[in-house]
Amino acid sequence: MAVSTTVPLCQPCGYHEAFRVELQVKRPLMPVHLSPEQVGLEMLCLCGQLDLLVRAQMQQFQEQLGQGCSPEESDTFQAQGSEILDQMLQCLEHLPKPMPQLEDYLDMVGLSVMFPRVEVFLIQGSPVDMLERPPMDEYFFHIAKLNQLLVLSQQLEEDIRHLGSHKYIAHQLSLVLSSFRGIQAFSEIKKDIEANFKQMKQSLL
């Protein structure tokens, strides 16, 4: 049986590059204006992210060398590093014109001193380890210790309010004590806890 045909209603046009739309997946839908102070804060956060990313890649380099392999950047590092750099450039667009170069801005606000790995990465285009530990390494370690102490203290406070699991309180308190190491501000509190630890442990038996 023959199939009936009709004349097409219209002829589709060929694709023209003038109709191409550039995807902006990482940009906000609504325009956002940042003040210079907000730009500085955002750049501080992005430098911290990029610094941690470079440190993780350097650790991977060491593992590759230990296995007898040539160091090679991971696809994840390249993708995340490019994304962070793009976000940095987007932040600079909020500054008064003329927009400074990224390296010049980091020098101007002191971020290159705080994050030398980031500065070297921008110059070299690849992660490079530092001969001396940057000061921000100690800062991140200190913040991590404080966060650990906060979480343990909150859990201990919650268990004290509900003494159904009181047999674990002594163990949790010992974890809190271990978190005090290296934090000079809590040295006196640590001494008080150590002086009364045995008595407290006996009262919970």
Side-chain angles (χ1 to χ4, degrees), residues 105-117:
Y105 177 81
L106 296 182
D107 288 337
M108 181 174 60
V109 299
L111 288 174
S112 58
V113 177
M114 298 172 64
F115 301 98
R117 291 190 190 91

Side-chain angles (χ1 to χ4, degrees), residues 69-104:
C69 304
S70 299
E72 185 176 348
E73 293 181 9
S74 65
D75 295 337
T76 302
F77 172 79
Q78 294 179 352
Q80 293 182 352
S82 298
E83 181 179 334
I84 293 175
L85 289 177
D86 184 59
Q87 292 177 14
M88 287 180 167
L89 294 175
Q90 290 179 30
C91 281
L92 294 182
E93 294 176 359
H94 295 274
L95 295 174
K97 306 301 180 184
M99 187 181 79
Q101 295 293 322
L102 180 55
E103 295 88 341
D104 295 337

Side-chain angles (χ1 to χ4, degrees), residues 148-149 152 169-180 197:
Q148 180 187 30
L149 180 59
L152 290 172
I169 290 180
H171 174 67
Q172 290 173 330
L173 191 57
S174 65
L175 293 177
V176 172
L177 277 174
S178 64
S179 299
F180 284 159
F197 184 78

Side-chain angles (χ1 to χ4, degrees), residues 15-198:
Y15 171 77
H16 194 280
E17 64 178 8
F19 297 101
R20 182 179 60 185
V21 177
E22 184 178 353
L23 297 179
Q24 302 288 349
V25 179
K26 302 299 181 181
R27 289 178 178 265
L29 295 177
M30 297 293 292
V32 177
H33 177 71
L34 300 178
S35 66
E37 292 77 14
Q38 291 172 321
V39 170
L41 182 60
E42 186 68 20
M43 291 292 285
L44 173 65
C45 297
L46 292 172
C47 283
Q49 295 176 30
L50 186 55
D51 182 75
L52 292 175
L53 190 64
V54 170
R55 291 168 62 183
Q57 183 61 67
M58 291 305 305
Q59 179 64 33
Q60 187 173 345
F61 282 168
Q62 295 296 328
E63 295 174 357
Q64 291 173 346
L65 289 173
Q67 297 171 359
C69 304
S70 299
E72 185 176 348
E73 293 181 9
S74 65
D75 295 337
T76 302
F77 172 79
Q78 294 179 352
Q80 293 182 352
S82 298
E83 181 179 334
I84 293 175
L85 289 177
D86 184 59
Q87 292 177 14
M88 287 180 167
L89 294 175
Q90 290 179 30
C91 281
L92 294 182
E93 294 176 359
H94 295 274
L95 295 174
K97 306 301 180 184
M99 187 181 79
Q101 295 293 322
L102 180 55
E103 295 88 341
D104 295 337
Y105 177 81
L106 296 182
D107 288 337
M108 181 174 60
V109 299
L111 288 174
S112 58
V113 177
M114 298 172 64
F115 301 98
R117 291 190 190 91
V118 173
E119 182 185 34
V120 174
F121 175 73
L122 294 176
I123 297 173
Q124 301 288 344
S126 59
V128 178
D129 203 3
M130 300 285 99
L131 296 178
E132 297 182 1
R133 292 188 64 182
M136 290 301 292
D137 287 9
E138 295 296 331
Y139 171 78
F140 285 127
F141 176 77
H142 186 71
I143 292 298
K145 292 283 289 184
L146 290 178
N147 181 67
Q148 180 187 30
L149 180 59
L150 173 63
V151 173
L152 290 172
S153 300
Q154 289 174 335
Q155 182 63 49
L156 181 59
E157 181 184 23
E158 185 68 19
D159 290 343
I160 290 175
R161 290 179 178 177
H162 307 88
L163 290 177
S165 57
H166 64 276
K167 61 181 179 179
Y168 299 111
I169 290 180
H171 174 67
Q172 290 173 330
L173 191 57
S174 65
L175 293 177
V176 172
L177 277 174
S178 64
S179 299
F180 284 159
R181 294 173 185 169
I183 305 179
Q184 188 63 30
F186 298 124
S187 58
E188 293 299 324
I189 301 176
K190 181 180 179 182
K191 291 178 181 178
D192 292 340
I193 296 177
E194 289 174 339
N196 297 282
F197 184 78
K198 289 185 178 180

